[in-house]
Amino acid sequence: MRGPDAQLDEIVRKLESLPEDLKAQDPATPGYEERLSKALNGATTLSPEAVQKATGIHVEARSTAGCLKELAVLAVTYGVRATKILKWIREARQLWGGVEGIINAVRSGVAATEMGGEAAALLGALTGYTAVKEACIG
């Protein structure tokens, strides 16, 4: 299994490789989720195992598959363009380094204070922390 930072690097690469029109497209546009999902090749959030590796949070193996969310679904759910997701990831990495630092910032509320609640919520979902917290912690 690739480590959490490698998984986040792959997400960034996939977002960077999107066509410019798709990066900037409004997530409310009909067909956006399907088009984004296809362009991202079904890329998902970080795996629960990556969250466990980065933070030491125990994850129940029986429920980990249900914790993965497609990035395209997150973009539509949060109503955030791919360009903004990419900006928030870069900003979070600059502030807190890797996945462990980002998750700790989300957990402690620092991410919401420094980047805003919307960014913190999306970062929590993107890193897989939110799903792990809600459904997968044993």
Side-chain angles (χ1 to χ4, degrees):
M1 178 185 78
R2 293 175 309 145
D5 290 318
Q7 289 182 40
L8 188 57
D9 288 342
E10 181 63 23
I11 289 170
V12 168
R13 279 192 293 279
K14 286 184 179 207
L15 288 169
E16 287 173 340
S17 70
L18 290 172
E20 291 302 317
D21 69 310
L22 189 56
K23 283 183 191 175
Q25 191 171 24
D26 184 341
T29 304
Y32 175 79
E33 183 178 329
E34 293 80 15
R35 187 171 173 224
L36 184 61
S37 179
K38 184 176 179 183
L40 290 171
N41 198 25
T44 64
T45 56
L46 272 63
S47 70
E49 294 83 7
V51 175
Q52 181 169 313
K53 185 174 183 178
T55 64
I57 296 171
H58 176 70
V59 177
E60 288 290 332
R62 62 178 163 67
S63 58
T64 59
C67 293
L68 293 174
K69 303 290 180 227
E70 251 195 85
L71 297 182
V73 172
L74 285 184
V76 171
T77 300
Y78 288 88
V80 178
R81 289 174 169 81
T83 52
K84 197 171 210 178
I85 294 170
L86 200 48
K87 175 185 174 279
W88 284 341
I89 294 170
R90 289 177 176 147
E91 186 177 338
R93 284 191 131 170
Q94 189 171 37
L95 289 168
W96 304 297
V99 171
E100 181 179 0
I102 293 169
I103 290 173
N104 287 334
V106 170
R107 285 171 73 180
S108 68
V110 170
T113 301
E114 293 194 26
M115 293 181 65
E118 185 182 33
L122 185 121
L123 288 168
L126 180 73
T127 59
Y129 171 69
T130 303
V132 166
K133 183 180 83 171
E134 291 172 356
C136 301
I137 294 177

mmCIF file of all heavy atoms in Angstrom, residues 57-85:
data_model
loop_
_atom_site.group_PDB
_atom_site.id
_atom_site.type_symbol
_atom_site.label_atom_id
_atom_site.label_comp_id
_atom_site.label_asym_id
_atom_site.label_seq_id
_atom_site.Cartn_x
_atom_site.Cartn_y
_atom_site.Cartn_z
ATOM 1 N N ILE A 57 -4.886 6.517 14.230
ATOM 2 C CA ILE A 57 -6.285 6.259 14.545
ATOM 3 C C ILE A 57 -6.613 4.837 14.129
ATOM 4 O O ILE A 57 -6.346 4.434 12.996
ATOM 5 C CB ILE A 57 -7.229 7.230 13.806
ATOM 6 C CG1 ILE A 57 -6.994 8.664 14.265
ATOM 7 C CG2 ILE A 57 -8.690 6.838 14.005
ATOM 8 C CD1 ILE A 57 -7.733 9.695 13.416
ATOM 9 N N HIS A 58 -7.189 4.046 15.017
ATOM 10 C CA HIS A 58 -7.535 2.667 14.682
ATOM 11 C C HIS A 58 -8.736 2.649 13.744
ATOM 12 O O HIS A 58 -9.740 3.322 13.973
ATOM 13 C CB HIS A 58 -7.869 1.865 15.947
ATOM 14 C CG HIS A 58 -8.310 0.476 15.643
ATOM 15 N ND1 HIS A 58 -7.451 -0.483 15.158
ATOM 16 C CD2 HIS A 58 -9.528 -0.104 15.696
ATOM 17 C CE1 HIS A 58 -8.123 -1.595 14.950
ATOM 18 N NE2 HIS A 58 -9.379 -1.397 15.272
ATOM 19 N N VAL A 59 -8.617 1.878 12.666
ATOM 20 C CA VAL A 59 -9.683 1.751 11.683
ATOM 21 C C VAL A 59 -10.131 0.296 11.652
ATOM 22 O O VAL A 59 -9.320 -0.613 11.533
ATOM 23 C CB VAL A 59 -9.182 2.174 10.276
ATOM 24 C CG1 VAL A 59 -10.260 1.969 9.244
ATOM 25 C CG2 VAL A 59 -8.722 3.617 10.294
ATOM 26 N N GLU A 60 -11.442 0.084 11.769
ATOM 27 C CA GLU A 60 -11.997 -1.272 11.688
ATOM 28 C C GLU A 60 -11.940 -1.747 10.243
ATOM 29 O O GLU A 60 -12.484 -1.103 9.350
ATOM 30 C CB GLU A 60 -13.457 -1.274 12.158
ATOM 31 C CG GLU A 60 -13.620 -1.084 13.640
ATOM 32 C CD GLU A 60 -13.161 -2.291 14.443
ATOM 33 O OE1 GLU A 60 -13.208 -3.415 13.925
ATOM 34 O OE2 GLU A 60 -12.745 -2.090 15.586
ATOM 35 N N ALA A 61 -11.293 -2.864 10.005
ATOM 36 C CA ALA A 61 -11.116 -3.387 8.647
ATOM 37 C C ALA A 61 -12.445 -3.696 7.965
ATOM 38 O O ALA A 61 -12.574 -3.552 6.762
ATOM 39 C CB ALA A 61 -10.247 -4.631 8.685
ATOM 40 N N ARG A 62 -13.457 -4.093 8.717
ATOM 41 C CA ARG A 62 -14.729 -4.515 8.126
ATOM 42 C C ARG A 62 -15.442 -3.395 7.377
ATOM 43 O O ARG A 62 -16.274 -3.647 6.527
ATOM 44 C CB ARG A 62 -15.651 -5.068 9.204
ATOM 45 C CG ARG A 62 -16.022 -4.052 10.262
ATOM 46 C CD ARG A 62 -16.984 -4.619 11.299
ATOM 47 N NE ARG A 62 -17.027 -3.823 12.486
ATOM 48 C CZ ARG A 62 -17.508 -2.590 12.573
ATOM 49 N NH1 ARG A 62 -17.982 -1.996 11.509
ATOM 50 N NH2 ARG A 62 -17.502 -1.938 13.714
ATOM 51 N N SER A 63 -15.158 -2.147 7.685
ATOM 52 C CA SER A 63 -15.938 -1.057 7.110
ATOM 53 C C SER A 63 -15.139 -0.112 6.218
ATOM 54 O O SER A 63 -15.665 0.885 5.784
ATOM 55 C CB SER A 63 -16.602 -0.260 8.230
ATOM 56 O OG SER A 63 -15.619 0.230 9.115
ATOM 57 N N THR A 64 -13.884 -0.430 5.942
ATOM 58 C CA THR A 64 -13.061 0.535 5.217
ATOM 59 C C THR A 64 -13.505 0.798 3.782
ATOM 60 O O THR A 64 -13.391 1.918 3.311
ATOM 61 C CB THR A 64 -11.579 0.116 5.214
ATOM 62 O OG1 THR A 64 -11.465 -1.165 4.614
ATOM 63 C CG2 THR A 64 -11.010 0.102 6.608
ATOM 64 N N ALA A 65 -14.020 -0.175 3.073
ATOM 65 C CA ALA A 65 -14.419 0.041 1.680
ATOM 66 C C ALA A 65 -15.492 1.117 1.566
ATOM 67 O O ALA A 65 -15.492 1.905 0.627
ATOM 68 C CB ALA A 65 -14.908 -1.255 1.058
ATOM 69 N N GLY A 66 -16.391 1.188 2.511
ATOM 70 C CA GLY A 66 -17.440 2.192 2.490
ATOM 71 C C GLY A 66 -16.964 3.589 2.808
ATOM 72 O O GLY A 66 -17.710 4.553 2.663
ATOM 73 N N CYS A 67 -15.716 3.718 3.232
ATOM 74 C CA CYS A 67 -15.184 5.033 3.595
ATOM 75 C C CYS A 67 -14.618 5.793 2.405
ATOM 76 O O CYS A 67 -14.441 6.996 2.481
ATOM 77 C CB CYS A 67 -14.087 4.881 4.645
ATOM 78 S SG CYS A 67 -14.704 4.278 6.217
ATOM 79 N N LEU A 68 -14.318 5.100 1.308
ATOM 80 C CA LEU A 68 -13.753 5.765 0.145
ATOM 81 C C LEU A 68 -14.846 6.534 -0.595
ATOM 82 O O LEU A 68 -15.940 6.028 -0.795
ATOM 83 C CB LEU A 68 -13.118 4.743 -0.797
ATOM 84 C CG LEU A 68 -11.891 4.020 -0.266
ATOM 85 C CD1 LEU A 68 -11.467 2.938 -1.251
ATOM 86 C CD2 LEU A 68 -10.757 4.985 -0.014
ATOM 87 N N LYS A 69 -14.520 7.741 -0.998
ATOM 88 C CA LYS A 69 -15.450 8.569 -1.766
ATOM 89 C C LYS A 69 -14.743 9.030 -3.034
ATOM 90 O O LYS A 69 -13.574 9.375 -3.009
ATOM 91 C CB LYS A 69 -15.886 9.800 -0.971
ATOM 92 C CG LYS A 69 -16.525 9.490 0.370
ATOM 93 C CD LYS A 69 -17.886 8.864 0.209
ATOM 94 C CE LYS A 69 -18.495 8.571 1.565
ATOM 95 N NZ LYS A 69 -19.055 7.285 1.714
ATOM 96 N N GLU A 70 -15.480 9.070 -4.137
ATOM 97 C CA GLU A 70 -14.909 9.559 -5.385
ATOM 98 C C GLU A 70 -14.688 11.059 -5.291
ATOM 99 O O GLU A 70 -15.514 11.785 -4.747
ATOM 100 C CB GLU A 70 -15.852 9.254 -6.558
ATOM 101 C CG GLU A 70 -15.320 8.178 -7.454
ATOM 102 C CD GLU A 70 -16.029 8.110 -8.780
ATOM 103 O OE1 GLU A 70 -15.651 8.854 -9.700
ATOM 104 O OE2 GLU A 70 -16.948 7.294 -8.867
ATOM 105 N N LEU A 71 -13.575 11.521 -5.851
ATOM 106 C CA LEU A 71 -13.268 12.956 -5.827
ATOM 107 C C LEU A 71 -14.334 13.762 -6.548
ATOM 108 O O LEU A 71 -14.682 14.860 -6.108
ATOM 109 C CB LEU A 71 -11.903 13.216 -6.470
ATOM 110 C CG LEU A 71 -10.696 12.600 -5.789
ATOM 111 C CD1 LEU A 71 -9.426 12.997 -6.527
ATOM 112 C CD2 LEU A 71 -10.611 13.023 -4.336
ATOM 113 N N ALA A 72 -14.860 13.226 -7.638
ATOM 114 C CA ALA A 72 -15.893 13.943 -8.381
ATOM 115 C C ALA A 72 -17.136 14.151 -7.510
ATOM 116 O O ALA A 72 -17.767 15.203 -7.552
ATOM 117 C CB ALA A 72 -16.258 13.191 -9.657
ATOM 118 N N VAL A 73 -17.473 13.152 -6.715
ATOM 119 C CA VAL A 73 -18.624 13.269 -5.816
ATOM 120 C C VAL A 73 -18.358 14.367 -4.776
ATOM 121 O O VAL A 73 -19.248 15.156 -4.464
ATOM 122 C CB VAL A 73 -18.933 11.917 -5.129
ATOM 123 C CG1 VAL A 73 -19.990 12.066 -4.054
ATOM 124 C CG2 VAL A 73 -19.361 10.888 -6.165
ATOM 125 N N LEU A 74 -17.133 14.419 -4.252
ATOM 126 C CA LEU A 74 -16.794 15.470 -3.281
ATOM 127 C C LEU A 74 -16.930 16.852 -3.897
ATOM 128 O O LEU A 74 -17.462 17.765 -3.262
ATOM 129 C CB LEU A 74 -15.364 15.305 -2.764
ATOM 130 C CG LEU A 74 -15.091 14.216 -1.769
ATOM 131 C CD1 LEU A 74 -13.646 14.281 -1.305
ATOM 132 C CD2 LEU A 74 -16.021 14.284 -0.583
ATOM 133 N N ALA A 75 -16.431 17.020 -5.125
ATOM 134 C CA ALA A 75 -16.504 18.320 -5.780
ATOM 135 C C ALA A 75 -17.950 18.783 -5.899
ATOM 136 O O ALA A 75 -18.269 19.936 -5.599
ATOM 137 C CB ALA A 75 -15.844 18.253 -7.154
ATOM 138 N N VAL A 76 -18.836 17.875 -6.285
ATOM 139 C CA VAL A 76 -20.244 18.222 -6.441
ATOM 140 C C VAL A 76 -20.905 18.422 -5.079
ATOM 141 O O VAL A 76 -21.641 19.384 -4.864
ATOM 142 C CB VAL A 76 -20.979 17.146 -7.275
ATOM 143 C CG1 VAL A 76 -22.479 17.364 -7.264
ATOM 144 C CG2 VAL A 76 -20.446 17.142 -8.702
ATOM 145 N N THR A 77 -20.627 17.539 -4.138
ATOM 146 C CA THR A 77 -21.209 17.637 -2.798
ATOM 147 C C THR A 77 -20.868 18.963 -2.139
ATOM 148 O O THR A 77 -21.722 19.616 -1.544
ATOM 149 C CB THR A 77 -20.724 16.475 -1.904
ATOM 150 O OG1 THR A 77 -21.130 15.247 -2.510
ATOM 151 C CG2 THR A 77 -21.290 16.573 -0.502
ATOM 152 N N TYR A 78 -19.615 19.365 -2.250
ATOM 153 C CA TYR A 78 -19.173 20.612 -1.627
ATOM 154 C C TYR A 78 -19.338 21.811 -2.545
ATOM 155 O O TYR A 78 -19.126 22.943 -2.122
ATOM 156 C CB TYR A 78 -17.715 20.487 -1.162
ATOM 157 C CG TYR A 78 -17.584 19.598 0.053
ATOM 158 C CD1 TYR A 78 -17.427 18.228 -0.067
ATOM 159 C CD2 TYR A 78 -17.654 20.139 1.334
ATOM 160 C CE1 TYR A 78 -17.328 17.414 1.043
ATOM 161 C CE2 TYR A 78 -17.560 19.330 2.454
ATOM 162 C CZ TYR A 78 -17.394 17.971 2.301
ATOM 163 O OH TYR A 78 -17.310 17.162 3.405
ATOM 164 N N GLY A 79 -19.698 21.571 -3.812
ATOM 165 C CA GLY A 79 -19.897 22.663 -4.763
ATOM 166 C C GLY A 79 -18.625 23.439 -5.033
ATOM 167 O O GLY A 79 -18.645 24.662 -5.155
ATOM 168 N N VAL A 80 -17.508 22.717 -5.133
ATOM 169 C CA VAL A 80 -16.204 23.359 -5.265
ATOM 170 C C VAL A 80 -15.547 22.944 -6.580
ATOM 171 O O VAL A 80 -15.477 21.757 -6.899
ATOM 172 C CB VAL A 80 -15.293 22.966 -4.073
ATOM 173 C CG1 VAL A 80 -13.922 23.573 -4.209
ATOM 174 C CG2 VAL A 80 -15.926 23.385 -2.761
ATOM 175 N N ARG A 81 -15.075 23.935 -7.321
ATOM 176 C CA ARG A 81 -14.362 23.676 -8.572
ATOM 177 C C ARG A 81 -13.038 22.957 -8.277
ATOM 178 O O ARG A 81 -12.438 23.139 -7.221
ATOM 179 C CB ARG A 81 -14.069 24.983 -9.293
ATOM 180 C CG ARG A 81 -15.296 25.644 -9.872
ATOM 181 C CD ARG A 81 -14.936 27.023 -10.448
ATOM 182 N NE ARG A 81 -16.017 27.572 -11.236
ATOM 183 C CZ ARG A 81 -17.085 28.192 -10.728
ATOM 184 N NH1 ARG A 81 -17.211 28.343 -9.432
ATOM 185 N NH2 ARG A 81 -18.027 28.655 -11.530
ATOM 186 N N ALA A 82 -12.563 22.187 -9.252
ATOM 187 C CA ALA A 82 -11.291 21.470 -9.118
ATOM 188 C C ALA A 82 -10.135 22.431 -8.850
ATOM 189 O O ALA A 82 -9.224 22.108 -8.084
ATOM 190 C CB ALA A 82 -11.021 20.637 -10.372
ATOM 191 N N THR A 83 -10.177 23.620 -9.448
ATOM 192 C CA THR A 83 -9.101 24.593 -9.216
ATOM 193 C C THR A 83 -9.035 24.989 -7.735
ATOM 194 O O THR A 83 -7.944 25.153 -7.190
ATOM 195 C CB THR A 83 -9.293 25.872 -10.057
ATOM 196 O OG1 THR A 83 -10.619 26.379 -9.854
ATOM 197 C CG2 THR A 83 -9.062 25.611 -11.529
ATOM 198 N N LYS A 84 -10.172 25.112 -7.110
ATOM 199 C CA LYS A 84 -10.204 25.485 -5.698
ATOM 200 C C LYS A 84 -9.721 24.333 -4.817
ATOM 201 O O LYS A 84 -9.004 24.546 -3.837
ATOM 202 C CB LYS A 84 -11.624 25.908 -5.298
ATOM 203 C CG LYS A 84 -11.688 26.671 -4.005
ATOM 204 C CD LYS A 84 -13.083 27.242 -3.808
ATOM 205 C CE LYS A 84 -13.010 28.503 -3.015
ATOM 206 N NZ LYS A 84 -14.314 29.121 -2.842
ATOM 207 N N ILE A 85 -10.099 23.112 -5.163
ATOM 208 C CA ILE A 85 -9.626 21.950 -4.413
ATOM 209 C C ILE A 85 -8.102 21.896 -4.473
ATOM 210 O O ILE A 85 -7.436 21.726 -3.454
ATOM 211 C CB ILE A 85 -10.240 20.645 -4.963
ATOM 212 C CG1 ILE A 85 -11.756 20.623 -4.730
ATOM 213 C CG2 ILE A 85 -9.577 19.426 -4.319
ATOM 214 C CD1 ILE A 85 -12.467 19.491 -5.441
#
